[in-house]
Amino acid sequence: MKITFMGAGSSVFARNVLGDCMCSEALRDSVFALYDIDGERLEQSRTILEAIRKTKGGYGKIECYLGVENRKDALRGANFVINAIQVGLYDPCTIIDFEVPKKYGLRQTIGDTLGIGGIMRGLRTIPVMADFARDMEEVCPDAWFLNYTNPMAILSGYMQRYTGVKTVGLCHSVQTCSSDLFNQLGMEDKLEGRRELIAGINHMAWLLEIKDKDNNDLYPEIKKRIDEKLNDPTFENKVRLEYIKNFGYYCTESSEHNAEYNMFYIKSKYPELIERYNIPLDEYPRRCVEQIANWKKDYQEMLEKGVREHNRSNEYASHIIESIVTNTPYEIGGNVLNEDRLITNLPKEACVEVPCLVNGMGIRPCYVGALPVQCAAMNMTNINVQLLTIEAARTLKKEHIYQAAMLDPHTASELDIDTIKKMVDDLIEAHGDYLPKYSC
């Protein structure tokens, strides 16, 4: 069996996901193909994964493929392809995504999923993933494509609608949603045996039902406890608790992410909201700088002291692959096309996040039905942007980029239409060859 990792220079993530595969008796004998366009980072990942492979018994084989000219060979014959690329990296593209909008008074926290940052990130990533898809259709047409790259719904939705590649989008936030909430509210005693239903869209999927092991609804107790946290000036998860208070349900992704997915919290005319809700502006660039520095330190430490023991994580990828290979049932929260009306009050073109059953037949999404109307309405404010960004990438028409930005909740709440268009033009110019050429 062959498992190919696209963007293997994402060394920490490659270590976690492929290290997980090496922990599985069913997967450890695989060929692990590492692909990247950065030779230094590719070699670092190879070094780490070789060390893990040896500590796990020396099973399997690692192969490295550097550069676009070797991409097709990296994919050839793959059974599973894991995607974790970042087109344009932190420098220059993430810096551009934050600094250009800042000149127009538009501030962001993460900028990788929605907002103007998410739009630009999607536009520069779709062409690369379209190239992956063409190669896969030729050299590994039956492979599953496991996408971890953001903006999740934009990229997975494009692959699902406009390529022949079997694609599922995977995120970390579903696994930890209710456990994080319980730990923050002092309800740890309810963790064991809990039952939950989560559905919506990536980073804004809703904890629709949450029950204890005896089937008792836990939302009444959750709602009793949120005011104390909202009144605590040091508490950092306030946006999501505000969702419970105003929309009735908790959502999957962090408050710093969700602060920029709507028109409520980051507002230049109400600067006091930033402090009130503990919103970390420019958070993603700050994390990038820290992660780059920490990685250099960790890699040097590993060279000197050897690799640390790797224990299997709760990342979905290895469990999905193992489930399909061994025909062992497994459940995930997956990002899939809504074409079968899995969520009946969201459009069929949307990429939705719903429970999926995995076994030897592949990945099968589950029917959810209608979301509460207010939750569907919140999701639609994001879906509008996602669909228009995909349309811009597909047609190469600049007007759809304008429209995506104009309909983005945060952008539209801060800027007028003419300013939005000028900002988009400046971003396109600043990104240069990282973007294709658009017609007016």
Side-chain angles (χ1 to χ4, degrees):
M1 188 170 67
K2 182 176 180 179
I3 301 170
T4 298
F5 198 107
M6 309 300 283
S10 302
S11 300
V12 174
F13 195 62
R15 176 187 66 192
N16 290 344
V17 172
L18 294 183
D20 286 352
C21 293
M22 293 173 187
C23 292
S24 166
E25 187 173 345
L27 307 181
R28 63 189 184 185
D29 262 330
S30 300
V31 172
F32 300 101
L34 311 182
Y35 169 80
D36 207 279
I37 59 173
D38 184 322
E40 181 180 1
R41 293 299 298 267
L42 184 62
E43 175 59 23
Q44 290 174 350
S45 291
R46 185 200 66 78
T47 300
I48 293 169
L49 287 165
E50 278 289 3
I52 293 174
R53 189 180 69 84
K54 290 175 182 177
T55 66
K56 296 299 180 183
Y59 298 95
K61 179 184 179 183
I62 295 173
E63 299 176 347
C64 290
Y65 299 86
L66 175 63
V68 174
E69 65 274 16
N70 293 307
R71 184 179 65 210
K72 197 174 289 188
D73 287 336
L75 292 166
R76 194 179 308 279
N79 303 96
F80 299 91
V81 178
I82 300 167
N83 183 54
I85 62 172
Q86 185 181 358
V87 177
L89 302 176
Y90 163 66
D91 188 358
C93 285
T94 295
I95 295 173
I96 292 170
D97 286 345
F98 275 78
E99 292 304 315
V100 172
K102 201 181 293 184
K103 294 176 183 177
Y104 292 88
L106 187 65
R107 304 296 300 275
Q108 300 171 89
T109 55
I110 306 294
D112 72 347
T113 295
L114 207 74
I116 193 63
I119 292 168
M120 302 311 296
R121 191 181 181 108
L123 291 173
R124 63 178 180 263
T125 307
I126 284 176
V128 177
M129 286 177 56
D131 288 342
F132 291 178
R134 282 187 285 271
D135 287 351
M136 289 181 66
E137 288 165 353
E138 178 183 343
V139 302
C140 57
D142 296 323
W144 273 98
F145 188 77
L146 310 182
N147 178 48
Y148 275 102
T149 298
N150 284 323
M152 178 61 63
I154 291 172
L155 302 179
S156 300
Y158 176 86
M159 294 288 285
Q160 290 153 356
R161 290 172 64 193
Y162 295 113
T163 79
V165 174
K166 295 184 293 187
T167 300
V168 65
L170 304 175
C171 186
H172 326 273
S173 57
V174 173
Q175 297 101 305
T176 60
C177 176
S178 61
S179 59
D180 286 350
L181 177 62
F182 285 0
N183 286 328
Q184 290 169 351
L185 295 182
M187 296 175 63
E188 294 89 346
D189 60 313
K190 304 298 184 184
L191 285 169
E192 186 176 352
R194 69 191 185 281
R195 307 172 188 185
E196 62 189 33
L197 173 62
I198 295 175
I201 61 171
N202 180 242
H203 284 193
M204 197 189 279
W206 304 97
L207 183 62
L208 298 171
E209 296 181 21
I210 179 68
K211 298 180 179 181
D212 66 15
K213 60 185 179 181
D214 299 316
N215 209 36
N216 297 305
D217 183 6
L218 293 174
Y219 257 124
E221 181 61 27
I222 290 169
K223 291 176 180 179
K224 286 180 184 177
R225 299 187 182 213
I226 60 176
D227 281 342
E228 179 184 353
K229 296 297 182 182
L230 289 171
N231 292 325
D232 179 355
T234 65
F235 187 68
E236 296 181 348
N237 196 32
K238 292 186 177 182
V239 169
R240 293 161 86 192
L241 296 192
E242 279 272 329
Y243 277 7
I244 298 176
K245 193 168 186 178
N246 293 306
F247 295 96
Y249 299 89
Y250 192 64
C251 81
T252 47
E253 191 48 80
S254 65
S255 285
E256 61 265 27
H257 273 277
N258 270 275
E260 64 184 7
Y261 298 164
N262 54 65
M263 63 291 285
F264 306 130
Y265 301 105
I266 305 175
K267 302 176 77 68
S268 57
K269 290 186 178 180
Y270 300 90
E272 69 276 7
L273 294 176
I274 301 302
E275 182 176 355
R276 176 180 169 186
Y277 289 101
N278 287 323
I279 296 170
L281 296 174
D282 298 321
E283 175 66 10
Y284 186 62
R286 185 160 47 247
R287 289 182 189 178
C288 289
V289 171
E290 291 176 357
Q291 287 170 354
I292 291 168
N294 288 339
W295 167 245
K296 291 179 180 178
K297 178 182 176 183
D298 289 348
Y299 183 68
Q300 187 60 40
E301 183 177 312
M302 189 215 70
L303 292 177
E304 295 172 359
K305 300 181 180 179
V307 70
R308 289 172 289 184
E309 175 68 19
H310 180 82
N311 297 310
R312 197 171 185 181
S313 74
N314 67 349
E315 290 288 356
Y316 281 142
S318 71
H319 297 282
I320 290 172
I321 298 171
E322 183 179 71
S323 174
I324 293 174
V325 168
T326 64
N327 193 26
T328 304
Y330 183 65
E331 182 180 334
I332 65 169
N335 290 270
V336 297
L337 200 61
N338 197 38
E339 58 185 347
D340 294 325
R341 294 291 187 179
L342 305 166
I343 298 178
T344 55
N345 52 350
L346 295 181
K348 63 184 178 64
E349 299 86 1
C351 180
V352 294
E353 193 165 68
V354 297
C356 300
L357 297 179
V358 188
N359 58 26
M361 296 300 292
I363 300 169
R364 306 295 180 190
C366 298
Y367 174 84
V368 173
L371 298 179
V373 64
Q374 70 276 17
C375 296
M378 282 286 285
N379 285 165
M380 279 305 306
T381 65
N382 287 220
I383 290 170
N384 292 332
V385 181
Q386 294 161 2
L387 295 183
L388 279 162
T389 303
I390 291 172
E391 195 68 5
R394 187 184 71 86
T395 64
L396 296 181
K397 291 184 178 180
K398 191 188 293 185
E399 65 179 318
H400 294 315
I401 308 177
Y402 292 151
Q403 292 158 355
M406 287 157 52
L407 289 172
D408 175 66
H410 175 47
T411 302
S413 71
E414 291 282 75
L415 306 179
D416 65 272
I417 289 177
D418 289 341
T419 304
I420 289 171
K421 290 181 176 180
K422 189 174 187 310
M423 178 181 67
V424 167
D425 289 341
D426 285 355
L427 281 162
I428 291 172
E429 181 179 0
H431 280 299
D433 291 340
Y434 284 104
L435 293 175
K437 304 302 178 186
Y438 300 96
S439 61
C440 294

